[in-house]
Amino acid sequence: MNRKTLVLSAVVGLLAPVLAGCGGSDGGSGGGDAIVVGTTDPFVATKEAPAPVDPAYTYDTNTWNLLKQTIQTLLYIPRGGGEPLPDAATQCGFTDTGSESYRCTLRSGLTFSNGDPITAEDVKYSIERVSNINDPNGAVGLLANIDRIETSGNEVIFHLKTADATFPYKLSTPIAGIIDPKVYAPKKLLDGFTIEGSGPYTFKAEVKDGKMMKAVYTKNPKYKGALKLQNSKVEIRYFPTAEAMAAALEKGDIDVMNRSMTPEQIQNMQAKPEEHVNLTEIPGQEIRYLAFNTNAPVVKDKAVRQAIASVVNRGDLIKKVYGPMADPLYSVIPSGITGHTNSFFNEYGDGNKTEAAKFLSEANIPTPVKITLNYTTDHYGAATKKEFETLRDQLNSSGLFDVDLKGEPWATFLPKKNEGKFPVFGLGWFPDFPDPDNYIAPFLDKDNILSSPYANKRAIDTLIPESRREADRSAASNTFAELQNIVSSDVPMLPLWQGKQYIAARDDIFGVEWALDSGANLHLWELGRGTAGS
């Protein structure tokens, strides 16, 4: 398959069937040579964010990918998608017909990589610690429906406040990862780059001036779980630019590259394939959007947000910036996820300046409206700057807005976002699990990820709990349609595009097609060197 682009079929629907078992022979065929993966996503420990890899703190794809290799969870999402299966557990399931009590039985003989035994009490401690710390950066909202946790021998029983058919998916995420109470204090984050878990790999970071320069994942001999490793070691190396990363792949200094390749690189690799390098396209569930602080004076009036929603032209944006790497997105729930509708297109169209002027005129808002668009310069790839320049030009050319741009590194952007300092800002979203709830609740529920004061009582009190009662997730489609209409009507955020994913690798690496799923989750254990099964 030299110099060939592989395209994996999209998984349409909510719970995809398992396509194959996880891995082959334990340990793979790569010998002792580390498989080296390149990335441009930095890890930085700062005074404002000194604990970037603590499971109670972090809530971004880059860090969760690090934790997925090292921190074990009760359940995991199998290769190809589908319902969660046991990993640290031997079995899990609801014990009532109302989906309000969930029981897991731990595997026997589990230990952390340092040899400390794992008990049901450790699972309870790990999850309650997240809630006790309640860090605004973290994913504590995923656990907010837990009323209490009890343990009995090797069993953990979760009692939920309300029915939640998505709860097994939440237990498969790093926020529910099992950590060692001897290492992680109950109410304080663990500073630096230390990770102590029971996952398939142990972890060691090479750090300079608070920045991670290299991450080394070594097969954990104490791991007991469902995953089968195809390698014994993986290194992650960090590059300042996508161009430097691509040059390292071409020279053979690295074996794999993923985040973040530029649109130009993808197009060039498709048009002029490189010898000994394969490019694989994988269906994506990533979305990008503008978010609004609905208390900020400039966008507090819904008419301003509606006018922005009318002016933005997604087709033009994608054509100028992302090309075939993205598709227009007209709802918070992306295409390919059960319940998707084109609510924003139905409400505003695309690039409708006349409708935008009408919104502002009827609300007696003088024009041009002065707005600053804030974005992160180093978290979503080099194309982000051009994306926001295009959005600025679209809004300014309407004559209705006077837009400035401000970009800054993720390390300072994230704390400011959480403090509500940005009236309008750009973010991306990679799903925690493949369910429409995970594109709705994080944006609308209490303590939402936008750090926004926006709250819709019907969504929070009625529709979201109602959707979670449906074990057959397709039965909640009408509820999700109403939730999407609420988002398009109130515009607390503005969906822009849905992305495709690409991963490039040297042709002596196998398992690439399984090493990245549609939610941008890395599965480093799938990568092997040589021939699969040899």
Side-chain angles (χ1 to χ4, degrees):
M1 293 185 291
N2 290 359
R3 302 179 289 121
K4 185 177 181 180
T5 300
L6 307 177
V7 182
L8 303 184
S9 299
V11 177
V12 179
L14 187 55
L15 298 178
V18 179
L19 301 182
C22 282
S25 58
D26 194 15
S29 57
D33 292 340
I35 293 175
V36 184
V37 179
T39 181
T40 61
D41 286 342
F43 280 104
V44 182
T46 65
K47 181 179 179 181
E48 295 78 14
V53 299
D54 190 308
Y57 170 83
T58 184
Y59 196 12
D60 67 85
T61 299
N62 193 23
T63 313
W64 272 27
N65 275 334
L66 188 157
L67 295 176
K68 283 176 181 290
Q69 324 304 318
T70 52
I71 301 288
Q72 193 174 18
T73 48
L74 291 168
L75 301 166
Y76 78 105
I77 304 296
R79 177 199 277 186
E83 297 186 31
L85 298 176
D87 187 21
T90 58
Q91 59 182 3
C92 290
F94 285 105
T95 61
D96 64 332
T97 57
S99 299
E100 292 185 0
S101 180
Y102 196 77
R103 183 189 303 264
C104 289
T105 303
L106 282 182
R107 290 180 186 268
S108 61
L110 285 177
T111 67
F112 295 106
S113 60
N114 62 11
D116 290 341
I118 296 176
T119 67
E121 282 294 324
D122 293 329
V123 177
K124 182 176 186 287
Y125 174 91
S126 300
I127 293 176
E128 288 182 342
R129 174 180 181 268
V130 173
S131 299
N132 290 336
I133 291 176
N134 195 26
D135 193 279
N137 295 285
V140 65
L142 292 178
L143 307 178
N145 195 34
I146 298 175
D147 182 44
R148 61 188 175 89
I149 304 172
E150 65 173 299
T151 62
S152 177
N154 64 343
E155 292 186 334
V156 186
I157 304 98
F158 300 90
H159 299 280
L160 307 182
K161 299 174 185 175
T162 59
D164 186 2
T166 72
F167 187 67
Y169 288 95
K170 294 170 182 176
L171 287 183
S172 73
T173 67
I175 198 67
I178 307 168
I179 47 92
D180 190 343
K182 295 181 181 178
V183 178
Y184 294 82
K187 295 185 179 181
K188 184 181 182 302
L189 294 172
L190 182 63
D191 291 353
F193 295 98
T194 296
I195 299 175
E196 184 57 58
S198 57
Y201 295 98
T202 61
F203 171 80
K204 183 177 181 181
E206 293 185 10
V207 181
K208 181 179 181 181
D209 298 326
K211 185 173 183 178
M212 191 187 302
M213 308 304 294
K214 183 168 72 172
V216 180
Y217 300 91
T218 304
K219 179 181 176 181
N220 177 11
K222 294 183 172 62
Y223 170 69
K224 289 186 177 182
L227 304 175
K228 303 299 182 182
L229 278 66
Q230 298 289 352
N231 60 70
S232 58
K233 181 178 288 188
V234 178
E235 292 183 4
I236 306 290
R237 295 182 187 172
Y238 299 88
F239 292 86
T241 65
E243 290 75 19
M245 179 173 63
L249 180 69
E250 185 178 355
K251 290 169 57 181
D253 292 340
I254 63 174
D255 300 298
V256 182
M257 70 174 183
N258 169 224
R259 284 173 56 98
S260 291
M261 292 181 272
T262 67
E264 293 77 13
Q265 284 177 322
I266 299 297
Q267 291 168 350
N268 288 339
M269 293 179 74
Q270 290 174 331
K272 298 179 180 179
E274 306 231 0
E275 190 174 4
H276 303 303
V277 173
N278 295 325
L279 179 68
T280 302
E281 178 186 317
I282 297 170
Q285 296 170 348
E286 167 192 9
I287 69 171
R288 297 287 177 86
Y289 59 94
L290 288 179
F292 300 97
N293 178 348
T294 55
N295 263 2
V298 68
V299 292
K300 188 171 185 177
D301 194 312
K302 183 171 72 170
V304 176
R305 307 195 300 271
Q306 291 175 316
I308 293 174
S310 299
V311 169
V312 167
N313 187 322
R314 294 165 181 80
D316 176 69
L317 173 67
I318 291 169
K319 179 180 178 181
K320 290 180 177 177
V321 183
Y322 292 103
M325 289 183 64
D327 293 312
L329 180 63
Y330 298 100
S331 172
V332 63
I333 297 177
S335 174
I337 295 292
T338 297
H340 164 79
T341 68
N342 287 319
S343 57
F344 271 85
F345 186 84
N346 298 337
E347 188 88 20
Y348 306 104
D350 212 25
N352 192 333
K353 299 177 185 179
T354 301
E355 190 70 12
K358 184 179 177 181
F359 280 121
L360 296 174
S361 175
E362 290 180 350
N364 296 315
I365 295 173
T367 58
V369 181
K370 293 184 67 66
I371 291 177
T372 297
L373 300 183
N374 297 269
Y375 67 96
T376 174
T377 56
D378 62 351
H379 195 66
Y380 299 118
T384 305
K385 182 174 185 289
K386 187 176 180 181
E387 175 182 353
F388 276 78
E389 289 171 345
T390 303
L391 289 170
R392 174 198 62 195
D393 294 346
Q394 287 182 359
L395 292 167
N396 285 347
S397 66
S398 72
L400 302 172
F401 295 94
D402 180 6
V403 176
D404 289 327
L405 299 181
K406 185 176 181 182
E408 57 186 293
W410 183 251
T412 58
F413 176 91
L414 183 60
K416 290 181 181 179
K417 185 273 290 184
N418 290 336
E419 293 166 10
K421 292 186 177 181
F422 300 143
V424 188
F425 52 97
L427 284 176
W429 180 250
F430 298 85
D432 306 317
F433 48 88
D435 187 284
D437 178 87
N438 198 234
Y439 291 93
I440 291 288
F443 301 102
L444 299 188
D445 218 342
K446 297 173 184 176
D447 300 320
N448 60 75
I449 62 165
L450 303 180
S451 305
S452 169
Y454 171 79
N456 183 285
K457 183 174 177 59
R458 176 162 172 75
I460 294 171
D461 294 344
T462 302
L463 296 177
I464 292 175
E466 183 178 296
S467 72
R468 289 172 174 168
R469 284 194 288 269
E470 297 289 355
D472 176 4
R473 304 304 287 146
S474 62
S477 292
N478 289 339
T479 304
F480 283 117
E482 184 176 349
L483 284 161
Q484 289 168 91
N485 288 338
I486 287 172
V487 176
S488 60
S489 176
D490 291 349
V491 201
M493 51 88 72
L494 177 62
L496 296 173
W497 55 267
Q498 175 178 348
K500 300 173 185 175
Q501 298 185 105
Y502 295 87
I503 184 168
R506 304 287 298 182
D507 59 8
D508 64 336
I509 301 298
F510 68 84
V512 177
E513 67 272 27
W514 301 115
L516 185 69
D517 67 21
S518 59
N521 297 300
L522 274 176
H523 307 297
L524 297 179
W525 54 85
E526 296 280 9
L527 296 172
R529 191 185 301 279
T531 303
S534 63

